[in-house]
Amino acid sequence: MKNKIIIIGSGFSSLAASCYLAKAGYSVTILEKNEMVGGRARVFEKDGFKFDMGPSWYWMPDVFESFFADFEHKVSDYYDLSKLSPAYQVYFNTSDSIKISDNLNDIKKTFDEIEPGSSKYLQDFIDSAKFNYEVAIKDLVYQPGVSIAELITPVTIKRVNQFFTSIRKKVRKKIKNQKLIQILEFPVLFLGAKPSNTPSFYNFMNYADFGLGTWHPKGGMHEVIKAMTNLATSLGVEIRKNSNVSKIVVEDGKTIGVQVDNLLLKADVVLSGADYNHTETLLDKPYRQYSEKYWDKKVLAPSSLLFYVGFDKKIKEVCHHTLFFDSDFDKHAVEIYDKPSWPEKPLFYANFPSLTDPSFAPENKEAGFFLIPIAPGIEDTPEIREKYFNHIMDRFEKLTNQSVKEHILFKKSYCIKEFKEDYNSYKGNAYGLANTLTQTAFLRPKLKSKKVSNLFFTGQLTVPGPGVPPALISGKIVSSLIQKHYPLVDHLKQ
């Protein structure tokens, strides 16, 4: 009889872990509370329109290739991938935007046109970012976050100053043009923290941007979920949808399984890819590692106000990914991190996948996905949502010089309330725990419970951090940890 593992949740990290554990010979069952597999990477469809509800950027393609290669497959075995050119567009004012090319040489030309001579510094910056990327991806991010020793290597000792200076200082040391500064500071937003609070070592995200490029899986990000689901089931993983775990049952410091619909499903190991804070509420208090006070003090990545919009015409003057930086970034950041409140004039992001991929909208129509980063835990009402939708639509029309409001067929909003209801997300956060210096690696919530010997965690609130590629890595790390502590031979000897 195989060791039985139950995994709570079916996001990227859970699916990744399920594949590694099933390949190693464990009997794996995933329990998903919603009707659709994928966690935040679900799909909303209406009237021939399709929207990725969560992740929409495909960066770090090498991490996806590495994942599938671990199972003797390639990305191309499951979905078609194309590199976006331009990668994205950034608006700063009316008809004032910069398109970021799909290659560094052209990006350097763009920088020199805006700030003569800046391309030399950009090249040095990206060379450093590439080095950090290789250090991070080949070594550091695959560590289980057990101790500080994981971060101490001959390479990191030489570059230790990068952990104590910020991305902001690094970028602004040589670049003076505000537009270029914002473009270089933008990628760390994927780590869920302000550039001023993010160690400069994390400039490896700039290499992910300018060096590796921005990609699109045909059919959208949910196609990656489908691919991982197909791989998991081919390895023998059982996936049960509409299965909401109400309790993790513990006896003598060891979980014996989980409760679903008043039934006990037994397991030798329980792994949760659900929200970490929520998972601990499924335990009796003596078995919880972190108090509410602990979580309340953590720096969370932002939540989001999202709009999924169907237009009855094609939208002009935008790219697949379009960022609107026509407002004060620092002020918006204060309203997210320092004084949580609804922003006065937020930055926002728009995604028009139907420009690249016709499967997202009917012919001559457009699918638009709009995102406003907001502080987690703030008030969320229909009136507030409507106010901000009108606000960004007015700005969108002005900045891109076109009329769109009267061409809206429908819109669906999604915010803090749904993040809590659908994902049990702590304070309705969208991206997990910010990667600040004091919340990096071994300083993040642990993959292995300190109080329940056979309970483990994975995903954006633990190691290595927020984002889709880190989620894949988190699944791999925790599966190795489980195999180390609960090898198959232990069960066979019983």
Side-chain angles (χ1 to χ4, degrees):
M1 182 178 176
K2 295 181 179 179
N3 291 56
K4 174 71 175 176
I5 297 179
I6 284 178
I7 300 179
I8 304 172
S10 66
F12 284 105
S13 59
S14 292
L15 287 170
S18 77
C19 292
Y20 286 109
L21 291 166
K23 180 186 177 186
Y26 295 84
S27 173
V28 182
T29 299
I30 290 176
L31 302 175
E32 168 55 52
K33 75 181 285 285
N34 295 314
E35 294 181 358
M36 186 181 293
V37 172
R40 285 163 168 77
R42 295 184 297 157
V43 169
F44 167 57
E45 296 186 71
K46 180 175 180 176
D47 300 338
F49 291 85
K50 181 172 65 176
F51 305 86
D52 278 317
M53 294 184 70
S56 59
W57 291 77
Y58 192 106
W59 272 10
M60 301 165 70
D62 51 324
V63 174
F64 295 86
E65 289 288 359
S66 177
F67 169 77
F68 286 107
D70 284 340
F71 303 92
E72 299 181 356
H73 284 286
K74 297 177 291 185
V75 159
S76 58
D77 294 336
Y78 293 98
Y79 53 90
D80 296 326
L81 199 61
S82 58
K83 194 175 189 182
L84 295 181
S85 181
Y88 53 90
Q89 183 175 5
V90 185
Y91 269 91
F92 299 96
N93 212 325
T94 302
S95 300
D96 175 16
S97 70
I98 296 173
K99 291 181 180 179
I100 299 300
S101 176
D102 65 344
N103 67 87
L104 184 57
N105 284 335
D106 286 346
I107 295 170
K108 286 163 63 178
K109 291 176 185 176
T110 297
F111 268 57
D112 274 338
E113 288 170 2
I114 296 169
E115 184 177 322
S118 61
S119 65
K120 181 182 183 304
Y121 173 71
L122 177 62
Q123 183 66 63
D124 291 342
F125 183 77
I126 297 301
D127 287 344
S128 169
K130 181 180 180 181
F131 183 87
N132 287 346
Y133 185 88
E134 290 173 350
V135 170
I137 294 303
K138 291 179 181 178
D139 187 14
L140 297 186
V141 297
Y142 284 95
Q143 298 297 329
V146 174
S147 75
I148 191 173
E150 297 168 359
L151 298 179
I152 301 173
T153 71
V155 173
T156 57
I157 287 173
K158 291 178 182 178
R159 304 171 80 85
V160 70
N161 65 305
Q162 293 193 40
F163 289 94
F164 297 98
T165 188
S166 70
I167 283 280
R168 168 154 290 194
K169 287 182 179 178
K170 179 83 171 176
V171 167
R172 296 177 184 228
K173 187 174 182 180
K174 297 287 179 67
I175 299 290
K176 303 304 176 187
N177 182 274
Q178 190 60 33
K179 296 176 184 178
L180 300 184
I181 286 171
Q182 285 186 287
I183 288 171
L184 286 175
E185 290 183 347
F186 144 71
V188 302
L189 299 180
F190 285 95
L191 301 172
K194 294 191 294 185
S196 58
N197 287 346
T198 303
S200 66
F201 178 81
Y202 283 103
N203 73 345
F204 65 71
M205 292 299 293
N206 292 97
Y207 177 69
D209 180 3
F210 289 177
L212 298 176
T214 303
W215 299 74
H216 173 71
K218 185 178 180 181
M221 290 296 289
H222 192 70
E223 292 302 309
V224 185
I225 290 292
K226 287 181 181 178
M228 296 177 72
T229 300
N230 290 338
L231 174 60
T233 53
S234 74
L235 292 166
V237 176
E238 179 188 6
I239 300 176
R240 299 186 191 180
K241 294 177 280 189
N242 297 306
S243 298
N244 188 24
V245 175
S246 58
K247 187 176 179 64
I248 298 173
V249 183
V250 178
E251 292 182 0
D252 300 322
K254 187 175 183 180
T255 176
I256 60 170
V258 301
Q259 195 168 297
V260 178
D261 297 327
N262 295 317
L263 295 174
L264 175 64
L265 303 181
K266 292 189 176 181
D268 297 296
V269 172
V270 172
L271 166 62
S272 180
D275 180 273
Y276 205 124
N277 170 270
H278 168 73
T279 302
E280 290 222 306
T281 69
L282 302 178
L283 295 161
D284 290 333
K285 283 190 176 181
Y287 298 114
R288 299 174 190 176
Q289 305 170 90
Y290 305 109
S291 67
E292 284 301 310
K293 186 176 180 181
Y294 168 90
W295 288 109
D296 192 51
K297 287 184 175 181
K298 292 287 123 179
V299 179
L300 293 173
S303 185
S304 298
L305 171 54
L306 305 166
F307 296 100
Y308 312 105
V309 186
F311 295 96
D312 68 4
K313 71 168 188 174
K314 301 301 289 183
I315 305 298
K316 300 175 182 178
E317 305 302 327
V318 292
C319 290
H320 184 123
H321 297 293
T322 307
L323 300 155
F324 294 86
F325 286 178
D326 59 310
S327 60
D328 188 327
F329 174 88
D330 289 335
K331 187 174 188 304
H332 189 181
V334 167
E335 293 162 332
I336 292 174
Y337 296 102
D338 304 323
K339 298 177 181 178
S341 57
W342 278 95
E344 183 179 338
K345 188 180 179 184
L347 284 75
F348 66 98
Y349 156 69
N351 175 10
F352 299 96
S354 44
L355 289 173
T356 302
D357 187 339
S359 71
F360 277 85
E363 190 175 359
N364 296 320
K365 296 180 182 178
E366 206 84 86
F369 166 114
F370 297 83
L371 181 154
I372 302 174
I374 60 173
I378 58 178
E379 182 184 14
D380 173 18
T381 68
E383 293 76 19
I384 291 173
R385 296 186 191 195
E386 190 65 18
K387 170 188 171 183
Y388 278 89
F389 181 74
N390 290 328
H391 175 78
I392 63 171
M393 285 298 105
D394 287 343
R395 281 168 58 195
F396 182 87
E397 288 187 329
K398 180 182 177 182
L399 291 165
T400 64
N401 260 322
Q402 64 186 310
S403 173
V404 298
K405 281 188 286 187
E406 65 260 38
H407 295 280
I408 294 173
L409 295 171
F410 66 85
K411 73 173 185 293
K412 173 185 172 70
S413 65
Y414 198 98
C415 197
I416 287 172
K417 179 174 176 285
E418 287 83 5
F419 278 108
K420 290 179 179 178
E421 290 175 352
D422 292 348
Y423 312 125
N424 296 307
S425 173
Y426 181 64
K427 293 186 178 181
N429 82 82
Y431 306 108
L433 206 60
N435 255 341
T436 61
L437 178 60
T438 57
Q439 294 180 170
T440 293
F442 70 99
L443 296 173
R444 298 178 74 82
K446 302 301 182 186
L447 290 164
K448 185 180 186 301
S449 172
K450 296 176 285 186
K451 293 190 175 182
V452 182
S453 62
N454 56 341
L455 174 62
F456 295 80
F457 300 84
T458 187
Q460 60 186 11
L461 283 166
T462 182
V463 178
V468 176
L472 298 181
I473 293 168
S474 184
K476 182 173 185 176
I477 299 169
V478 78
S479 66
S480 297
L481 210 56
I482 290 170
Q483 291 174 61
K484 174 184 174 181
H485 288 277
Y486 291 92
L488 286 169
V489 290
D490 280 2
H491 190 91
L492 296 173
K493 288 179 180 178
Q494 291 176 4

